[in-house]
Amino acid sequence: MAQEEKSRAKKEQLKGKAKEAMGRMVGNESKTAEGKADQVKGDAREAKEKGKDTFKH
């Protein structure tokens, strides 16, 4: 389960980066903001999983 969550976090981060880049390319501030939000969600999920790993060891 932990590996699945880590993978999900990476996917959210990558999806966010792509969405942000597309938003910047076409000048769509809304998409750029959505992309940044997706990245933040991915970062938070990743940090949560790293915290869990720390307490397991």
Side-chain angles (χ1 to χ4, degrees):
M1 175 96 149
Q3 190 59 34
E4 183 179 310
E5 288 295 313
K6 288 177 186 177
S7 173
R8 190 169 167 195
K10 288 292 180 192
K11 285 179 188 176
E12 281 182 335
Q13 291 168 335
L14 289 173
K15 181 177 88 172
K17 286 182 185 197
K19 201 181 278 188
E20 181 182 5
M22 286 298 293
R24 285 180 194 258
M25 203 167 30
V26 298
N28 186 333
E29 291 181 25
S30 166
K31 281 290 181 204
T32 303
E34 281 181 36
K36 287 181 182 181
D38 286 346
Q39 288 179 63
V40 169
K41 284 191 320 189
D43 291 344
R45 186 181 309 278
E46 184 175 51
K48 180 181 85 172
E49 292 305 316
K50 283 183 180 181
K52 285 181 184 179
D53 287 347
T54 300
F55 289 110
K56 284 183 183 178
H57 298 288

